[in-house]
Amino acid sequence: MKYILSIDQGTTSTRAIIFDKHSNIVAMASEEITQIYPQPGWVEHNPNQIWVSVLAVMARVLLEANLKPEDIKAVGITNQRETTVVWDRKTGQPVHNAIVWQSRQTSDICDTLNKQGYGPLFKSKTGLLIDAYFSGTKVKWILDHVPGARKKADNGDLMFGTIDTWIIYKMTGETVHVTDYTNASRTLLFNIHELKWDTEILDILGIPASMLPTVKSSSEIVGYSTPHHFFGVKVPIAGIAGDQQAALFGQNCFETGMVKNTYGTGCFMLMNTGYQPIISEHGLLTTIAWGIDHKVTYALEGSVFVAGSAVQWLRDGVKLIQSASETEALATSLSSNEGVYVVPAFVGLGTPYWDSDARGAIFGLTRGTSKAHFARGVLEAICYQSMAVLRAMEEDTKLPIKSFKVDGGATVNRFLMQFQADILNLRVEQPKVLETTALGAAYLAGLATGYWSSTDEIQSSWQLKEAYLPQMSESTRKQLIHGWQVAVKAAQTFKLK
Ligand SMILES: Nc1ncnc2c1ncn2[C@@H]1O[C@H](COP(=O)(O)OP(=O)(O)O)[C@@H](O)[C@H]1O
Ligand SMILES: O=P(O)(O)OC[C@H](O)CO
């Protein structure tokens, strides 16, 4: 019997997971990644540490599963998106740390580009906003700031990659320089309509095309590990996708109108919008869901910046609780929010509000307000914010929501899931395998190598753990949503400058 090994290189850790043909997890290994904060607002990783962590978790997961390297049919790779590595073609060594997606060090470059009026051009070509989040300005920053980098780049001596590209380059003995459609679509350099690197944008940012990887399908053999890097065996690397897109695939959102929402530090929501890109009028990003057999499926994406991190704030900031799981009992100890709303706009508000100056607020306090109201308010806020993203998707696409599937660490909270179903008035589906990101990459690799024959076969092994059904009356739902909208508006009007 053969297995698929997925590498999930995330912001805080690198994981390797082995799956069997029935989508079961056979074994898992993970390793933390050091967060480097050179200046306030900057976040970097050491690319060599990332690569070593990949080697380590691959070895440990095989050991854990008691499998031989020969038992692995194919490897799938999924990764934190947008994070940028630039390295020297001759030495294979990075010229700078990886600049992480969260890092704001290129916000000045973005401000300038926005002031120059480039926003609409970039959006129409890439589906994205000009923001420090995406890779393009990070590459420019490295070329502008690392001594000698620009000259080397002009001579064709530098290579750029997102984390998938970097891992594959290393795994193939520094021979293969590729990425896939999903990761390319997060760089701000890729034309999502023409499906090629955009020369006009490259010129504006001063990035030579010679640095860029070849863009491949998300499900095809892009190369083989050198035996040296996979314990004596040559194994095909057959699936690549950015982590949110991999989760969409792992959740089997194969049809238009299917949505997944991941509840972690923040929430990432993606909706399959089919074969045509939809440019949002409500602050959503247009992105590539996957490309298979050179046919591309698109998605709309929206994010809630503060979700589980507001629960962490209850625990570590105001110290009202000792563990995240306490919030569930606290929230259910009340029969309603009793008019208390928490707006956790700690870093501004994302989709569809887009108000970076907004700050958090709590409304409706009375002498009877207790920590239960705070806990309930925080959990409710995650659901109201997710609702706002979903409503934006509905308005942009005019599509009915075919399914709403959830994953991520906070989905263990049953109050949260039930309240989400109630507020959306929608069935909320939680899968048995919550490692949907790694599973998505495994599916992509397995499809390319005949391990699974089709998405139909995959669908037959996808298992539902629990479906939360809406139970709230229409009038209560309306009243609660109205309260939230008033609270958000009030939070947005509180500006000290
Ligand atoms: N029982 C719970 N109730 C509410 N939130 C929770 C619970 N357990 C974990 N969380 C939140 O989920 C987040 C962790 O989820 P995870 O998917 O691991 O996040 P990430 O991948 O973003 O690090 C944390 O922010 C934590 O506060
Ligand atoms: O590493 P994660 O799971 O926090 O995901 C990061 C996202 O891909 C950033 O866009």
Side-chain angles (χ1 to χ4, degrees):
M1 175 135 160
K2 291 254 184 184
Y3 300 86
I4 304 286
L5 189 153
S6 263
I7 295 161
D8 176 2
Q9 204 303 302
T11 314
T12 53
S13 68
T14 303
R15 281 122 76 101
I17 304 184
I18 294 178
F19 291 96
D20 69 16
K21 208 156 167 21
H22 307 290
S23 313
N24 296 312
I25 293 176
V26 177
M28 179 163 19
S30 82
E31 194 162 307
E32 294 282 303
I33 295 297
T34 310
Q35 308 297 312
I36 304 165
Y37 303 110
Q39 287 192 32
W42 297 23
V43 191
E44 297 183 349
H45 289 160
N46 177 343
N48 288 323
Q49 185 200 24
I50 288 181
W51 167 231
V52 170
S53 74
V54 170
L55 288 172
V57 293
M58 288 196 304
R60 284 188 14 231
V61 80
L62 285 168
L63 202 63
E64 179 79 17
N66 200 16
L67 291 174
K68 298 190 289 297
E70 297 81 3
D71 297 326
I72 301 301
K73 172 95 178 164
V75 170
I77 292 178
T78 178
N79 53 290
Q80 53 169 319
R81 306 166 305 165
E82 301 98 10
T83 299
T84 298
V85 191
V86 174
W87 66 94
D88 190 307
R89 195 182 292 278
K90 289 186 183 137
T91 63
Q93 277 305 305
V95 299
H96 190 79
N97 276 333
I99 302 182
V100 175
W101 59 277
Q102 295 157 321
S103 193
R104 305 304 299 170
Q105 71 215 68
T106 65
S107 54
D108 286 348
I109 300 177
C110 295
D111 286 349
T112 306
L113 289 166
N114 278 317
K115 277 193 198 119
Q116 289 169 335
Y118 282 121
L121 179 86
F122 278 57
K123 188 176 175 195
S124 68
K125 287 171 175 253
T126 68
L128 308 174
L129 315 167
I130 299 178
D131 190 274
Y133 181 14
F134 307 107
S135 320
T137 58
K138 299 182 197 285
V139 180
K140 176 175 166 55
W141 189 94
I142 291 173
L143 298 186
D144 289 347
H145 289 81
V146 174
R150 170 119 358 235
K151 191 156 177 262
K152 273 191 186 168
D154 288 341
N155 289 341
D157 290 337
L158 291 187
M159 299 168 94
F160 151 72
T162 38
I163 295 295
D164 53 316
T165 307
W166 172 244
I167 294 172
I168 294 167
Y169 181 71
K170 286 291 175 186
M171 255 182 116
T172 55
E174 303 186 350
T175 58
V176 175
H177 187 213
V178 296
T179 187
D180 86 304
Y181 286 121
T182 70
N183 278 293
S185 76
R186 312 299 297 184
T187 59
L188 201 68
L189 306 175
F190 193 69
N191 189 313
I192 60 168
H193 311 275
E194 295 172 8
L195 302 178
K196 56 184 194 205
W197 299 115
D198 194 277
T199 46
E200 189 180 0
I201 291 183
L202 293 175
D203 279 351
I204 294 166
L205 295 176
I207 298 173
S210 60
M211 294 180 72
L212 305 174
T214 305
V215 183
K216 296 285 199 177
S217 286
S218 313
S219 179
E220 71 172 287
I221 297 177
V222 297
Y224 291 82
S225 69
T226 56
H228 179 61
H229 292 119
F230 201 77
F231 323 108
V233 174
K234 207 174 138 196
V235 64
I237 302 164
I240 318 175
D243 55 10
Q244 303 310 321
Q245 284 91 334
L248 190 71
F249 202 80
Q251 288 273 29
N252 290 7
C253 292
F254 301 140
E255 291 169 38
T256 307
M258 290 185 160
V259 178
K260 76 93 197 173
N261 195 21
T262 302
Y263 298 76
T265 309
C267 290
F268 285 101
M269 193 186 295
L270 269 79
M271 178 188 203
N272 180 329
T273 61
Y275 297 129
Q276 290 303 321
I278 294 173
I279 299 297
S280 174
E281 283 167 18
H282 299 87
L284 299 165
L285 304 173
T286 309
T287 199
I288 295 181
W290 47 77
I292 299 181
D293 296 333
H294 293 281
K295 192 159 190 184
V296 158
T297 298
Y298 292 88
L300 279 175
E301 173 171 332
S303 42
V304 172
F305 296 151
V306 174
S309 58
V311 176
Q312 289 167 345
W313 168 77
L314 288 176
R315 188 191 58 195
D316 308 333
V318 287
K319 298 192 167 51
L320 287 181
I321 52 170
Q322 277 170 350
S323 78
S325 58
E326 281 173 46
T327 54
E328 184 174 336
L330 284 169
T332 45
S333 73
L334 301 172
S335 56
S336 84
N337 67 14
E338 296 176 354
V340 177
Y341 287 87
V342 178
V343 183
F346 301 153
V347 291
L349 288 163
T351 320
Y353 313 102
W354 291 112
D355 185 347
S356 54
D357 299 326
R359 287 297 171 265
I362 302 175
F363 297 99
L365 302 183
T366 66
R367 181 64 184 80
T369 301
S370 68
K371 66 178 180 180
H373 296 85
F374 278 69
R376 187 168 177 128
V378 159
L379 297 178
E380 285 194 1
I382 297 173
C383 300
Y384 296 127
Q385 293 182 93
S386 293
M387 171 201 71
V389 178
L390 192 74
R391 296 289 171 252
M393 288 178 172
E394 286 175 314
E395 285 184 34
D396 275 333
T397 61
K398 309 282 179 236
L399 286 172
I401 305 303
K402 207 170 266 171
S403 65
F404 188 85
K405 298 185 179 178
V406 298
D407 51 49
T411 57
V412 294
N413 191 311
R414 299 181 58 85
F415 170 83
L416 183 75
M417 294 296 98
Q418 183 58 49
F419 195 77
Q420 187 69 87
D422 286 337
I423 280 301
L424 293 177
N425 196 23
L426 210 61
R427 177 183 156 100
V428 169
E429 297 181 329
Q430 187 182 34
K432 216 168 195 172
V433 176
L434 278 176
E435 296 293 340
T436 53
T437 301
L439 184 58
Y443 285 154
L444 290 165
L447 284 171
T449 50
Y451 188 73
W452 287 291
S453 59
S454 64
T455 50
D456 286 345
E457 186 189 351
I458 285 172
Q459 255 166 326
S460 66
S461 75
W462 192 89
Q463 291 177 57
L464 182 73
K465 182 176 170 224
E466 187 153 4
Y468 292 84
L469 303 174
Q471 290 167 357
M472 191 176 271
S473 73
E474 184 64 25
S475 62
T476 308
R477 179 170 36 254
K478 274 200 172 136
Q479 200 186 340
L480 284 168
I481 294 171
H482 174 71
W484 165 256
Q485 284 162 345
V486 172
V488 170
K489 212 173 219 168
Q492 287 186 279
T493 53
F494 178 78
K495 302 241 165 82
L496 290 178
K497 39 173 189 166

